[in-house]
Amino acid sequence: MLESDVALQLKATHQKITQLLQYKIDEYGLTFGQLFLIMKILNNPHASQKELAKQMRFTEGAMSVVVKRLISLGILEQEPLQSDMRYNRLVITDLGKNVVKDYQEYVVKVYQDIFEGLSEDELIKLNKLLTKVNNNLDKINKANLKNKTE
């Protein structure tokens, strides 16, 4: 069935992209979750560790483990919040900022390399097709959620 073949191609594409991105994250000794936390801190510099744990759906204990790891790697530092000294604000070190910058530059380069040799028209068509596929997936997910709540 053609739909199965296309779905398997999409799955293989996803796995290969994830693998390429994981190679870069491995250079830093990080996981995707740790890198995501670093980026979240950069975008929410005044959030407390407790608030960040809630946003990421981590337990406070799990968050403490991740934070300790990132501190030991020199990527994070903790500062007590002025408003409540019981809580810490996480600060990205220069090393952490360089890791994020390097990773973001790598992602841009990988994305450019992935689509090498495709014309702008081909990319536009591919984008439209993948948008349709993702919209269909959204519909299926909404229907599944609706069925679970009934």
Side-chain angles (χ1 to χ4, degrees):
M1 182 164 84
L2 187 55
E3 290 87 354
S4 295
D5 293 342
V6 173
L8 289 173
Q9 286 292 335
L10 287 171
K11 182 179 178 182
T13 299
H14 170 67
Q15 289 172 333
K16 289 174 186 176
I17 291 171
T18 301
Q19 186 177 37
L20 285 171
L21 299 179
Q22 186 63 54
Y23 288 143
K24 190 64 173 174
I25 294 170
D26 288 346
E27 287 180 20
Y28 314 123
L30 299 174
T31 65
F32 273 116
Q34 292 165 340
L35 183 64
F36 182 69
L37 175 60
I38 297 164
M39 291 177 172
K40 190 165 249 334
I41 294 167
L42 279 173
N43 293 325
N44 300 288
H46 300 292
S48 70
Q49 187 171 321
K50 186 175 182 177
E51 292 166 343
L52 290 164
K54 192 173 186 178
Q55 288 176 21
M56 294 194 61
R57 299 182 184 165
F58 284 178
T59 64
E60 289 182 46
M63 182 68 157
S64 291
V65 170
V66 172
V67 167
K68 284 179 186 173
R69 170 83 174 129
L70 293 173
I71 289 171
S72 73
L73 290 171
I75 291 173
L76 281 184
E77 294 174 345
Q78 287 180 316
E79 287 182 359
L81 280 178
Q82 296 299 326
S83 60
D84 189 342
M85 299 299 269
R86 295 175 296 166
Y87 299 109
N88 291 314
R89 181 173 80 93
L90 300 172
V91 179
I92 308 295
T93 64
D94 288 340
L95 173 63
K97 289 174 186 172
N98 288 335
V99 164
V100 170
K101 183 177 184 262
D102 184 50
Y103 179 75
Q104 289 171 332
E105 290 171 356
Y106 177 78
V107 169
V108 168
K109 175 79 170 93
V110 166
Y111 288 170
Q112 289 169 340
D113 291 348
I114 289 169
F115 298 108
E116 184 179 326
L118 293 175
S119 70
E120 188 173 341
D121 285 344
E122 289 171 322
L123 283 172
I124 290 168
K125 288 177 187 175
L126 180 58
N127 186 51
K128 286 180 182 177
L129 293 169
L130 290 173
T131 299
K132 286 182 182 181
V133 168
N134 281 310
N135 288 339
N136 290 340
L137 288 168
D138 288 342
K139 287 180 200 173
I140 294 166
N141 279 328
K142 285 178 186 173
N144 286 336
L145 285 174
K146 183 179 175 188
N147 290 337
K148 280 187 174 185
T149 59
E150 291 178 352

Coordinates of all heavy atoms in Angstrom, one line a residue, residues 44-110:
N44 N 13.3 32.1 29.4 CA 12.6 32.5 30.6 C 13.7 32.8 31.7 O 13.7 32.1 32.7 CB 11.7 31.3 31.1 CG 10.7 31.0 30.1 OD1 9.7 31.7 29.9 ND2 10.8 29.9 29.4
P45 N 14.5 33.8 31.6 CA 15.6 34.0 32.5 C 15.2 34.3 33.9 O 16.0 34.1 34.8 CB 16.4 35.2 31.9 CG 15.4 35.9 31.0 CD 14.4 34.8 30.5
H46 N 14.0 34.7 34.2 CA 13.6 35.1 35.5 C 12.8 34.0 36.2 O 12.3 34.1 37.3 CB 12.8 36.4 35.5 CG 13.6 37.5 35.0 ND1 14.7 38.0 35.7 CD2 13.6 38.2 33.9 CE1 15.3 39.0 35.0 NE2 14.6 39.1 33.9
A47 N 12.6 32.9 35.5 CA 11.8 31.8 36.1 C 12.6 31.0 37.2 O 13.8 30.9 37.1 CB 11.4 30.8 35.0
S48 N 11.9 30.6 38.2 CA 12.6 29.8 39.2 C 12.7 28.4 38.8 O 12.1 28.0 37.8 CB 11.7 29.9 40.5 OG 10.5 29.1 40.4
Q49 N 13.6 27.7 39.5 CA 13.8 26.3 39.2 C 12.5 25.5 39.3 O 12.1 24.6 38.5 CB 14.8 25.7 40.1 CG 15.3 24.3 39.8 CD 16.5 23.9 40.7 OE1 17.4 24.7 40.9 NE2 16.5 22.7 41.1
K50 N 11.7 25.9 40.3 CA 10.4 25.2 40.5 C 9.4 25.5 39.4 O 8.8 24.6 38.9 CB 9.8 25.8 41.9 CG 8.5 25.1 42.3 CD 8.1 25.5 43.6 CE 6.8 24.8 44.1 NZ 6.4 25.2 45.4
E51 N 9.4 26.7 38.9 CA 8.5 27.1 37.7 C 9.0 26.3 36.5 O 8.1 25.8 35.7 CB 8.6 28.6 37.5 CG 7.9 29.4 38.5 CD 8.3 30.9 38.4 OE1 9.3 31.3 37.7 OE2 7.6 31.7 39.0
L52 N 10.3 26.2 36.3 CA 10.8 25.5 35.1 C 10.4 24.0 35.2 O 10.1 23.4 34.2 CB 12.3 25.7 35.0 CG 12.7 27.1 34.6 CD1 14.2 27.4 34.8 CD2 12.4 27.4 33.1
A53 N 10.5 23.5 36.4 CA 10.2 22.0 36.5 C 8.7 21.8 36.2 O 8.4 20.9 35.5 CB 10.5 21.6 38.0
K54 N 7.9 22.7 36.6 CA 6.4 22.6 36.3 C 6.2 22.7 34.8 O 5.5 21.9 34.2 CB 5.7 23.7 37.0 CG 4.2 23.5 37.0 CD 3.5 24.6 37.9 CE 2.1 24.3 38.1 NZ 1.4 25.3 39.0
Q55 N 6.8 23.7 34.1 CA 6.7 23.9 32.7 C 7.1 22.6 31.9 O 6.6 22.3 30.9 CB 7.5 25.1 32.2 CG 6.9 26.4 32.6 CD 7.8 27.6 32.2 OE1 8.7 27.4 31.3 NE2 7.7 28.7 32.8
M56 N 8.2 22.0 32.4 CA 8.8 20.9 31.7 C 8.2 19.5 32.1 O 8.5 18.5 31.6 CB 10.3 20.8 31.8 CG 10.9 22.0 31.1 SD 12.7 21.8 30.9 CE 12.8 20.4 29.9
R57 N 7.2 19.6 33.1 CA 6.6 18.4 33.6 C 7.6 17.5 34.3 O 7.5 16.3 34.1 CB 5.7 17.7 32.6 CG 4.6 18.6 32.0 CD 3.8 17.9 31.0 NE 2.8 18.8 30.5 CZ 2.2 18.6 29.4 NH1 2.3 17.5 28.7 NH2 1.3 19.5 29.0
F58 N 8.6 18.1 34.9 CA 9.5 17.3 35.7 C 9.1 17.4 37.2 O 8.5 18.4 37.6 CB 10.9 18.0 35.7 CG 11.7 17.8 34.5 CD1 13.0 18.4 34.4 CD2 11.3 17.1 33.4 CE1 13.8 18.3 33.2 CE2 12.1 17.0 32.2 CZ 13.3 17.6 32.2
T59 N 9.4 16.4 37.9 CA 9.2 16.5 39.4 C 10.4 17.4 39.8 O 11.4 17.6 39.2 CB 9.4 15.1 40.1 OG1 10.7 14.6 39.9 CG2 8.3 14.1 39.6
E60 N 10.2 18.0 41.0 CA 11.3 18.8 41.5 C 12.6 18.0 41.8 O 13.7 18.5 41.6 CB 10.8 19.5 42.8 CG 9.8 20.6 42.5 CD 9.3 21.4 43.7 OE1 10.2 21.8 44.5 OE2 8.1 21.6 43.9
G61 N 12.4 16.7 42.1 CA 13.6 15.9 42.3 C 14.3 15.6 41.0 O 15.5 15.7 41.0
A62 N 13.5 15.3 40.0 CA 14.2 15.1 38.7 C 14.8 16.4 38.2 O 15.9 16.3 37.6 CB 13.1 14.6 37.7
M63 N 14.2 17.5 38.4 CA 14.8 18.8 38.0 C 16.1 19.0 38.7 O 17.1 19.5 38.1 CB 13.8 19.9 38.3 CG 14.3 21.3 37.8 SD 14.3 21.3 36.1 CE 14.2 23.1 35.8
S64 N 16.1 18.7 40.0 CA 17.4 18.9 40.8 C 18.5 18.1 40.2 O 19.7 18.5 40.1 CB 17.2 18.5 42.2 OG 16.3 19.4 42.8
V65 N 18.2 16.8 39.8 CA 19.2 16.0 39.2 C 19.8 16.6 37.9 O 21.0 16.6 37.7 CB 18.7 14.6 38.9 CG1 19.6 13.7 38.1 CG2 18.4 13.9 40.3
V66 N 18.9 17.1 37.0 CA 19.3 17.7 35.8 C 20.1 18.9 36.0 O 21.1 19.1 35.4 CB 18.0 18.0 34.9 CG1 18.4 18.7 33.6 CG2 17.3 16.7 34.5
V67 N 19.6 19.7 36.9 CA 20.3 21.0 37.2 C 21.7 20.7 37.8 O 22.7 21.3 37.3 CB 19.5 21.8 38.2 CG1 20.4 23.0 38.8 CG2 18.3 22.4 37.5
K68 N 21.9 19.7 38.7 CA 23.2 19.4 39.2 C 24.1 18.9 38.1 O 25.3 19.2 38.0 CB 23.1 18.3 40.3 CG 22.6 18.8 41.6 CD 22.4 17.7 42.6 CE 21.8 18.2 43.9 NZ 21.5 17.2 44.8
R69 N 23.6 18.1 37.1 CA 24.4 17.7 36.0 C 24.9 18.9 35.2 O 26.0 18.9 34.8 CB 23.5 16.7 35.2 CG 24.1 16.3 33.8 CD 25.1 15.2 34.0 NE 25.6 14.8 32.6 CZ 26.8 14.7 32.3 NH1 27.8 14.9 33.2 NH2 27.2 14.4 31.1
L70 N 24.0 19.8 34.9 CA 24.3 20.9 34.0 C 25.3 21.9 34.8 O 26.1 22.5 34.1 CB 23.1 21.7 33.6 CG 22.2 20.9 32.6 CD1 20.9 21.6 32.4 CD2 22.9 20.6 31.3
I71 N 25.2 22.0 36.1 CA 26.1 22.8 36.9 C 27.5 22.1 36.8 O 28.5 22.8 36.6 CB 25.6 22.9 38.3 CG1 24.4 23.9 38.3 CG2 26.7 23.5 39.2 CD1 23.7 24.0 39.7
S72 N 27.5 20.8 37.0 CA 28.8 20.0 36.9 C 29.5 20.2 35.6 O 30.7 20.1 35.5 CB 28.6 18.6 37.3 OG 28.0 17.8 36.3
L73 N 28.7 20.3 34.5 CA 29.3 20.5 33.2 C 29.7 22.0 32.9 O 30.3 22.3 31.9 CB 28.3 20.1 32.1 CG 28.0 18.6 32.0 CD1 26.8 18.3 31.1 CD2 29.2 17.8 31.5
G74 N 29.4 22.9 33.9 CA 29.7 24.3 33.7 C 28.8 25.0 32.8 O 29.1 26.1 32.3
I75 N 27.6 24.5 32.6 CA 26.6 25.1 31.7 C 25.6 26.0 32.4 O 25.1 27.0 31.9 CB 25.9 24.0 30.9 CG1 26.9 23.4 29.9 CG2 24.7 24.5 30.2 CD1 26.4 22.1 29.2
L76 N 25.4 25.7 33.7 CA 24.4 26.4 34.5 C 25.1 26.9 35.8 O 26.0 26.2 36.3 CB 23.2 25.6 34.9 CG 22.1 25.3 34.0 CD1 21.0 24.5 34.7 CD2 21.6 26.6 33.4
E77 N 24.5 27.9 36.4 CA 24.8 28.4 37.7 C 23.5 28.7 38.4 O 22.5 29.0 37.7 CB 25.7 29.6 37.7 CG 27.1 29.5 37.1 CD 27.9 30.8 37.0 OE1 27.2 31.8 37.1 OE2 29.1 30.7 36.8
Q78 N 23.5 28.6 39.7 CA 22.3 28.9 40.5 C 22.5 30.2 41.2 O 23.6 30.4 41.8 CB 22.0 27.8 41.5 CG 21.4 26.6 40.9 CD 21.1 25.5 42.0 OE1 21.9 25.3 42.9 NE2 20.0 24.9 41.8
E79 N 21.5 31.1 41.2 CA 21.4 32.3 42.0 C 20.2 32.3 42.8 O 19.1 32.0 42.3 CB 21.4 33.5 41.1 CG 22.7 33.8 40.4 CD 22.6 35.1 39.5 OE1 21.5 35.7 39.5 OE2 23.6 35.4 38.9
P80 N 20.2 32.6 44.1 CA 19.0 32.7 44.9 C 18.1 33.9 44.3 O 18.6 34.9 43.9 CB 19.4 33.1 46.3 CG 20.9 32.7 46.3 CD 21.4 32.9 44.9
L81 N 16.8 33.6 44.3 CA 15.9 34.6 43.8 C 15.8 35.7 44.9 O 15.7 35.4 46.1 CB 14.5 34.1 43.6 CG 14.2 33.3 42.4 CD1 12.8 32.8 42.4 CD2 14.4 34.2 41.1
Q82 N 15.8 37.0 44.5 CA 15.8 38.1 45.4 C 14.4 38.1 46.2 O 14.3 38.4 47.3 CB 16.0 39.4 44.7 CG 17.3 39.6 44.1 CD 18.5 39.5 45.1 OE1 18.3 39.9 46.2 NE2 19.6 38.9 44.7
S83 N 13.3 37.7 45.4 CA 12.0 37.8 46.0 C 11.7 36.7 47.0 O 10.9 36.8 47.9 CB 10.9 37.7 44.9 OG 11.1 36.5 44.2
D84 N 12.4 35.5 46.9 CA 12.3 34.4 47.8 C 13.5 33.6 47.8 O 13.8 32.8 46.9 CB 11.1 33.6 47.4 CG 10.7 32.5 48.4 OD1 11.5 32.2 49.3 OD2 9.5 32.0 48.3
M85 N 14.3 33.8 48.8 CA 15.6 33.1 48.9 C 15.6 31.6 49.0 O 16.6 30.9 48.9 CB 16.4 33.7 50.1 CG 16.7 35.2 50.0 SD 17.6 35.7 48.6 CE 19.3 35.6 49.3
R86 N 14.4 31.0 49.2 CA 14.2 29.6 49.2 C 14.4 29.0 47.8 O 14.6 27.8 47.6 CB 12.9 29.2 49.8 CG 12.7 29.5 51.2 CD 11.3 29.2 51.7 NE 10.4 30.0 50.9 CZ 9.0 29.8 50.8 NH1 8.5 28.8 51.5 NH2 8.3 30.6 50.1
Y87 N 14.2 29.8 46.8 CA 14.2 29.3 45.4 C 15.4 29.9 44.6 O 15.8 31.0 44.9 CB 12.9 29.7 44.7 CG 11.7 29.0 45.3 CD1 10.8 29.8 46.0 CD2 11.5 27.7 45.2 CE1 9.7 29.3 46.6 CE2 10.4 27.1 45.8 CZ 9.5 27.9 46.5 OH 8.4 27.3 47.1
N88 N 15.8 29.1 43.7 CA 17.0 29.6 42.9 C 16.6 29.9 41.5 O 15.7 29.3 40.9 CB 18.0 28.4 42.8 CG 18.7 28.2 44.1 OD1 19.1 29.1 44.8 ND2 18.8 26.9 44.5
R89 N 17.2 30.9 40.9 CA 17.1 31.2 39.5 C 18.3 30.6 38.8 O 19.4 30.6 39.3 CB 17.1 32.7 39.3 CG 17.0 33.2 37.9 CD 16.8 34.7 37.9 NE 18.1 35.4 38.0 CZ 18.9 35.8 37.0 NH1 18.5 35.5 35.7 NH2 20.0 36.4 37.1
L90 N 18.0 30.0 37.7 CA 19.1 29.3 36.9 C 19.7 30.3 35.9 O 18.9 31.0 35.2 CB 18.6 28.1 36.3 CG 18.0 27.0 37.3 CD1 17.3 25.9 36.5 CD2 19.1 26.5 38.1
V91 N 21.0 30.4 35.9 CA 21.7 31.3 34.9 C 22.5 30.5 34.0 O 23.3 29.6 34.5 CB 22.5 32.3 35.7 CG1 23.2 33.2 34.8 CG2 21.7 33.1 36.7
I92 N 22.4 30.7 32.7 CA 23.2 30.1 31.7 C 24.6 30.7 31.7 O 24.8 31.9 31.6 CB 22.6 30.2 30.3 CG1 21.2 29.7 30.3 CG2 23.4 29.4 29.3 CD1 20.9 28.3 30.6
T93 N 25.7 29.9 31.8 CA 27.0 30.4 31.7 C 27.4 30.7 30.3 O 26.7 30.4 29.3 CB 28.0 29.3 32.3 OG1 28.0 28.2 31.4 CG2 27.7 29.0 33.7
D94 N 28.6 31.3 30.1 CA 29.0 31.6 28.7 C 29.2 30.3 28.0 O 28.9 30.2 26.8 CB 30.3 32.4 28.8 CG 30.2 33.8 29.2 OD1 29.0 34.4 29.1 OD2 31.2 34.5 29.6
L95 N 29.7 29.3 28.6 CA 29.8 28.0 28.0 C 28.4 27.5 27.5 O 28.3 27.0 26.4 CB 30.4 26.9 29.0 CG 30.5 25.5 28.4 CD1 31.3 25.4 27.2 CD2 31.0 24.6 29.5
G96 N 27.4 27.6 28.4 CA 26.1 27.2 28.0 C 25.6 28.0 26.8 O 24.9 27.4 25.9
K97 N 25.8 29.3 26.8 CA 25.3 30.1 25.7 C 26.0 29.7 24.4 O 25.4 29.6 23.3 CB 25.6 31.6 26.0 CG 24.7 32.1 27.1 CD 25.1 33.5 27.4 CE 24.2 34.0 28.6 NZ 24.7 35.3 29.1
N98 N 27.3 29.3 24.5 CA 28.1 28.9 23.3 C 27.6 27.5 22.8 O 27.5 27.3 21.6 CB 29.6 28.8 23.6 CG 30.2 30.2 23.8 OD1 29.7 31.2 23.2 ND2 31.3 30.3 24.5
V99 N 27.2 26.7 23.7 CA 26.6 25.4 23.4 C 25.3 25.6 22.6 O 25.2 25.0 21.5 CB 26.4 24.5 24.6 CG1 25.5 23.3 24.3 CG2 27.7 24.0 25.2
V100 N 24.5 26.4 23.1 CA 23.2 26.7 22.4 C 23.4 27.3 21.0 O 22.8 26.9 20.0 CB 22.3 27.6 23.2 CG1 21.0 28.0 22.4 CG2 21.8 26.8 24.5
K101 N 24.3 28.3 21.0 CA 24.6 29.0 19.7 C 25.2 28.0 18.7 O 24.8 27.9 17.5 CB 25.6 30.1 19.9 CG 25.9 30.9 18.7 CD 26.9 32.1 19.0 CE 27.1 32.9 17.8 NZ 28.4 32.6 17.2
D102 N 26.1 27.1 19.1 CA 26.7 26.1 18.2 C 25.7 25.1 17.7 O 25.6 24.8 16.5 CB 27.8 25.4 19.0 CG 28.6 24.4 18.1 OD1 29.0 24.8 17.0 OD2 28.7 23.3 18.6
Y103 N 24.8 24.7 18.6 CA 23.8 23.7 18.3 C 22.8 24.4 17.2 O 22.5 23.7 16.2 CB 23.0 23.3 19.5 CG 21.9 22.3 19.1 CD1 22.2 21.0 18.8 CD2 20.6 22.7 19.1 CE1 21.2 20.1 18.5 CE2 19.6 21.8 18.8 CZ 19.9 20.5 18.5 OH 18.9 19.6 18.1
Q104 N 22.4 25.6 17.5 CA 21.5 26.3 16.6 C 22.1 26.4 15.2 O 21.4 26.2 14.2 CB 21.0 27.6 17.2 CG 20.1 27.4 18.3 CD 19.8 28.7 19.1 OE1 20.6 29.7 19.1 NE2 18.6 28.7 19.7
E105 N 23.3 26.8 15.1 CA 24.0 26.9 13.8 C 24.1 25.6 13.1 O 24.0 25.5 11.9 CB 25.4 27.5 14.0 CG 25.4 29.0 14.4 CD 26.7 29.6 14.9 OE1 27.8 28.8 14.9 OE2 26.8 30.8 15.1
Y106 N 24.4 24.6 13.9 CA 24.5 23.2 13.4 C 23.1 22.8 12.8 O 23.1 22.2 11.7 CB 24.9 22.2 14.5 CG 24.9 20.8 14.0 CD1 26.0 20.3 13.3 CD2 23.9 19.9 14.4 CE1 26.0 18.9 12.9 CE2 23.9 18.6 14.0 CZ 25.0 18.1 13.2 OH 25.0 16.8 12.8
V107 N 22.0 23.1 13.5 CA 20.7 22.7 13.0 C 20.4 23.4 11.7 O 19.9 22.7 10.7 CB 19.6 23.0 14.0 CG1 18.2 22.9 13.5 CG2 19.8 22.1 15.3
V108 N 20.7 24.6 11.6 CA 20.5 25.4 10.3 C 21.3 24.7 9.2 O 20.7 24.5 8.1 CB 20.9 26.9 10.5 CG1 20.9 27.6 9.1 CG2 19.9 27.6 11.4
K109 N 22.5 24.4 9.4 CA 23.4 23.8 8.4 C 22.8 22.4 8.0 O 22.7 22.1 6.8 CB 24.8 23.6 8.9 CG 25.8 22.9 8.0 CD 26.2 23.7 6.9 CE 27.4 23.1 6.1 NZ 27.0 22.3 5.0
V110 N 22.4 21.6 9.0 CA 21.8 20.3 8.7 C 20.6 20.4 7.8 O 20.4 19.7 6.8 CB 21.5 19.5 10.0 CG1 20.6 18.3 9.7 CG2 22.8 19.0 10.6

